[in-house]
Amino acid sequence: MIIIPGPTSQNLAKEVAKLTNSELARVESKQFPDGEIYVRVHSELKGKDAVIIQTQNTQNNAIVEAILMCEALREEGVKSITLVAPYLAYARQDKKFNAGEPISIKALAKVYSSICDRIITINPHETHIEEFFDIPFIYGDAIPKLAEHAGVKLVKPLVLSPDKGAVALAKRAAEELNCECDYLEKTRISPTEIKIAPKNLDVSGKDVLIVDDIISTGGTMATAISMLIEQGARTVIAACVHPVLIGDAINKLHVGGASEIVGTNTYPSEVSKVCVSTIIADILNGE
């Protein structure tokens, strides 16, 4: 097996290569003045099982880079191609919300299915997207690692998901921490006022871990954190697998009262404190 580090995941690729006892390829990448992308793999590839590790936090460029790397590997006669996209761009557009829209991940799934032999990702927004792929679609789970990281700072832990749809994430984190879990529910008190509180549990005196797959703008999460503190929570940690954190999202969460913000390096950011290399390595090793 040879690990091909995409431009967005060079450190992660190095860690995975070490954990899988695999060769690490040398990859050159650059952008021409007109914006076109160039990649070249400077390693012997013929007959090898190639694993591209390229997260898609830069989305369009990262997607094109992955496509070009797949083509380069095929041209050099590799035995197989696995594309590891820890953050899989466009996965949130997993159904048609309005007339005239594409199902974006379905379109990309057709491309990936034609250029590689399997795809690996971490905590896709919806797991049903695997039906769009004609190749094996494998996903790892970083929630236990997030819970383990946060758990050392939680004395009286309680895990919450930001809504009912993400309660499965909260359950997995709660299993790791051996504590209760719940989901946040919005209640409209008046036309201008809403209340956000756990559906069934009391947060008073608890150290709360809120977990989600993605934090993007952070607005709703910040409001929830503020209300949980008003309801007596001792501390609140905001955790997510993919810390997209657009604009001033980090500041919003801190002002809202988060004692810590933690994410993984599927989407490299200043809060990416949990590494997913072992998750990827275990999948590649067949564990």
Side-chain angles (χ1 to χ4, degrees):
M1 189 161 59
I2 184 168
I3 305 297
I4 316 296
T8 61
S9 297
Q10 296 173 60
N11 285 332
L12 180 58
K14 173 184 172 291
E15 291 302 315
V16 172
K18 183 178 178 181
L19 290 167
T20 57
N21 195 28
S22 300
E23 179 185 354
L24 182 67
R26 160 81 172 95
V27 177
E28 176 188 358
S29 65
K30 62 183 178 181
Q31 205 164 349
F32 292 110
D34 64 356
E36 288 191 3
I37 291 167
Y38 171 91
V39 297
R40 182 182 178 190
V41 184
H42 293 271
S43 297
E44 177 58 44
L45 298 165
K46 189 173 179 63
K48 295 180 180 178
D49 292 307
V51 178
I52 298 169
I53 301 184
Q54 169 82 332
T55 203
Q56 298 178 347
N57 59 314
T58 54
Q59 298 196 358
N60 298 334
N61 279 4
I63 291 168
V64 174
E65 287 164 349
I67 291 170
L68 295 179
M69 283 188 285
C70 284
E71 178 62 19
L73 297 177
R74 289 290 183 213
E75 287 289 327
E76 294 303 310
V78 296
K79 182 180 178 183
S80 68
I81 299 174
T82 297
L83 174 60
V84 180
Y87 175 76
L88 185 63
Y90 292 96
R92 283 187 282 181
Q93 186 74 27
D94 62 319
K95 57 184 148 185
K96 187 182 290 189
F97 297 94
N98 298 292
E101 289 181 347
I103 302 174
S104 302
I105 191 59
K106 184 177 181 181
L108 286 169
K110 292 176 182 177
V111 175
Y112 297 138
S113 296
S114 68
I115 62 174
C116 58
D117 299 294
R118 63 173 175 165
I119 190 162
I120 296 170
T121 189
I122 305 292
N123 292 98
H125 188 59
E126 296 288 350
T127 58
H128 75 83
I129 65 173
E130 65 184 314
E131 69 190 42
F132 300 138
F133 291 80
D134 297 325
I135 55 176
F137 179 84
I138 304 161
Y139 48 90
D141 183 12
I143 293 297
K145 279 190 166 294
L146 282 171
E148 181 185 13
H149 175 90
V152 297
K153 301 174 184 180
L154 304 174
V155 179
K156 297 180 179 179
L158 171 65
V159 180
L160 297 175
S161 65
D163 52 49
K164 192 173 182 179
V167 72
L169 304 181
K171 285 181 179 178
R172 294 201 295 276
E175 287 172 4
E176 181 70 26
L177 297 176
N178 192 27
C179 68
E180 292 184 298
C181 70
D182 201 356
Y183 66 92
L184 294 172
E185 186 175 60
K186 269 186 197 177
T187 304
R188 184 162 291 282
I189 299 171
S190 71
T192 58
E193 187 180 3
I194 62 167
K195 179 183 178 183
I196 301 175
K199 172 71 173 174
N200 301 304
L201 300 177
D202 183 5
V203 299
S204 181
K206 297 285 189 177
D207 298 305
V208 178
L209 175 65
I210 305 182
V211 294
D212 206 353
D213 62 330
I214 299 171
I215 300 178
S216 187
T217 63
T220 301
M221 182 76 82
T223 301
I225 291 168
S226 178
M227 290 189 172
L228 290 171
I229 290 171
E230 287 178 8
Q231 292 157 24
R234 289 199 334 157
T235 58
V236 181
I237 294 176
C240 65
V241 177
H242 312 295
V244 176
L245 300 170
I246 295 167
D248 64 340
I250 291 176
N251 181 241
K252 284 180 194 172
L253 295 169
H254 283 313
V255 171
S259 62
E260 184 180 0
I261 306 160
V262 58
T264 80
N265 60 344
T266 62
Y267 200 104
S269 77
E270 61 183 281
V271 304
S272 296
K273 303 168 186 175
V274 174
C275 183
V276 297
S277 59
T278 56
I279 300 171
I280 295 167
D282 284 348
I283 294 171
L284 292 174
N285 287 330
E287 296 180 13

